[in-house]
Amino acid sequence: MRNLYFLVLCFLTVTNLFYGQAPQKLTSSEIYHELKKLNFLGSALYIAAHPDDENTRLISHLVNDVHARTAYLSITRGDGGQNLIGTELRELLGVIRTQELLEARKIDGGEQFFTSANDFGYSKHPQETFNFWNKDQLLEEMVQLIRQFKPDIIINRFDHRSPGTTHGHHTASAMLSYEAFDLASDNQYHPESMASYGMWNPKRLFFNLSWWFYGSEKKFLEAIQDKDFISIDIGKFYPVLGKSNGEIAATSRSKHQSQGFGTTGTRGESMEYLEFLKGSPITDNNLFEGINTTWSRIKGGQEIGDILYPLEENFDFKNPSEIVPQLLKAYPLIANLEDAHWRNIKLKQLKNLILHASGIFLEAQTSQEIIVPGEEYEVTTEIINRSALPVRLTGIENATQKVFLQQDKIPLKKNKAHTETFAMQAQSEHFSTPYWLRNPHSEGMYQVSKNDLDEPTTPPLETIRFHLQFETINIPFTVPVVFKTNDAVTGEVYQPLSTLPKITVSIPEKIAVFASGEPQEFRVKVKSHQENIQGKLTFTESKAWKIEPKTIPFSLTLKREEKEVVFKVTPAAAATDETLTVHALVDSEVFDQELVTISYDHIPTQHVLLPASVKFVNPNIQKKGTNIGYIEGAGDLLPKYLRQIGYEVTVLSPDAIHLESLIKFDAVILGIRAYNVIPQLEYAQSILNEYVFQGGNLLVQYNTNHQLVTNNLAPFALTLSRKRVTDENAPVTFLAPNHPVLNTPNKITPRDFDFWVQERGLYFPESWADEFTPISGMSDPGEAQTKGSLLVASYGKGYYIYTGLSFFRQLPEGVSGAYRLLTNILSLGKK
């Protein structure tokens, strides 16, 4: 029995990690709230497709009112969405949205999981979705999670019975959940996860209805008035927390900043509706009806409940440490439970309660932000007991069990900090990059192990374990080593400590466009993360592109030193694209990864390692006009790529939209969603129209038809819709084949629509004035042709152009045809 007890403790020291940087500091009210959670033995799993799909109001209700262990399973990381706060797209946007979800869960109290599905972009039908997603693999992953998490209830955000009525990912997530509900209890299905976690039979499955499925709350309430749906008031006020459920949920949802989901908190009654789908029906609105959620649920639990339940009734908010002796009494009982599932969950919760009720602060910090494998660095630990309880420090060690402090029971006197500083060698050979980006991946699936999916993101690689003795019980607590610094404005700042390669290569231009066909200089940066490194830089061999010299030596003396070298690149004779990788050769080691740092105030800093590759593009472009004005919208990189093909681009402030400032430009471009995010456009449209009338070209890129700052987007009538073409390979018909935009200065052919990525375009206009000429027709399979993807109207001496074509995705991917078509648009009417 003693050996079993020891093994349990060792397991929990590994899993007792937290992803936040600053150590938690719970108030007595929050400690009481955690005690309530400790005494509830029930779990709920909420399932949807993307970050921001989750119903934070219902998750917060389950966590903070019901006190159930609740998790959100997001099938994807949202890689295919748009970004309202920066220019990161695809994989980097997925990193941002992953961290936004984790920040949201810190607020509403839920846990977070993902599958290996890659969000490849909008999908109109689940069948299209499963052309990209490996349905069988995702079912296995979902069943494994259900068997591991063991939810009593599962709630789908979307309806599995409505394919084609919403985003295909949405319906697909519900279809997967509906199947997995039964497969989790099938002893013939996925024997690998059954061997690890056993079978599991969830009690019931629900569909969480929403008014936005019906268009408005009024229509929704009318539609369900005769239906026997489950209704729950989730608008409760929590005096212990000082907040309503709606306030907590709004703060949680507002963490989805990249998607513009800032939300105002609500107070008072608020109803949520659920439809029972399968399992054991309920007779009232208690989702856990008929499920034993008390300690008596498990063998040996009754004795634990007899100790812990009275603590709720007699909790002293002025002195929460009074509950610690009883918590310690329950500790060995929980540690020796036969039920491994609840043993691990409740022992982790109990350790957290003991720590915070005792007022104990634990921290392991370093002044370094980045280390390399095997590097020795300095760690300072701080431990302080802020209660009158007798607590002793008996040891400090790292994850490899190297002991840094082992003394006989150092007493931790009340409110007296105990610090230790020691040299520690980096423990892991892995790097701190997001684990799902370590391997090459397909458009629809990441290549990750099923064990990786146990965690929502890469766990901290550097950890410290403190051994504390409470009375006669020894308890280990594991915390991450964090990078801690002081900012002159914000004060104490915590960020993750990252383990990176000793050399990273930086390529400022991931796409290099050789519009003139002439040789160009190409710059590469090499950066060291340790001292005294010499090596040489070289490109992978190319038969079509000539790169000189073949190698360039470098020498870096200081840690974090960076140097730039210049290669001469001569493009291929024919219009040829090629992706090449830069290698840094150091002795016999090859380093070919680029470090991308993502830094926003609302999430921890992320260090992402990506292949150090560049796509060289020779698109054979001709252009007319040179001077472009650009009014930025919701974050795209078009100015950067326009400069690469020889345009002079001036980024304009919305406040600088005056005729005299615009008239000098050959063309003015409005960034994506400009009419959604720039309030000044409500008043500036007449100026833009006059600019066109006097001979300018105005290119307006896509906007959503929701929350436009003005409906007057053009000098003529123009109405937007939600129409889009998601198949990036959809055939394109030229509706006006003789129009200049398809013929000069570049002859546009169907081949210019080859190799497009993610989609053709989105939010095409659905109606327009006769002055507009529709240029291209396209459609997804089985749908009627849309004609609003590119509209051109002459107005006075100039041209107004509206497009939903996704140039913002194509140019950063080096799609030659997109460059050629965009150049023609900007060249309209120019000499």
Side-chain angles (χ1 to χ4, degrees), residues 55-62 234 245-246 249-250 266 270-272:
N55 185 341
T56 54
R57 300 192 312 169
L58 188 52
I59 290 175
S60 177
H61 164 77
L62 290 167
I234 50 87
N245 191 70
T266 60
S270 180
M271 304 305 295
E272 280 290 337

Side-chain angles (χ1 to χ4, degrees), residues 3 14 85 142 169 231 251 338 391 464 478 553 648 664 676 749 780:
N3 290 336
V14 174
I85 60 172
M142 190 177 286
H169 296 185
S231 59
T251 306
E338 291 183 16
V391 182
I464 287 291
T478 300
E648 297 176 9
K664 64 181 180 180
N676 299 123
T749 72
D780 282 319

Side-chain angles (χ1 to χ4, degrees), residues 180-217:
F181 182 88
D182 294 321
L183 290 174
S185 59
D186 183 348
N187 62 9
Q188 300 299 313
Y189 181 78
H190 195 18
E192 181 183 348
S193 68
M194 190 180 69
S196 299
Y197 306 109
M199 294 183 299
W200 183 249
N201 187 11
K203 192 73 169 179
R204 49 186 67 102
L205 176 68
F206 300 99
F207 163 43
N208 180 200
L209 296 92
S210 174
W211 65 264
W212 38 267
F213 296 146
Y214 294 79
S216 70
E217 286 194 73

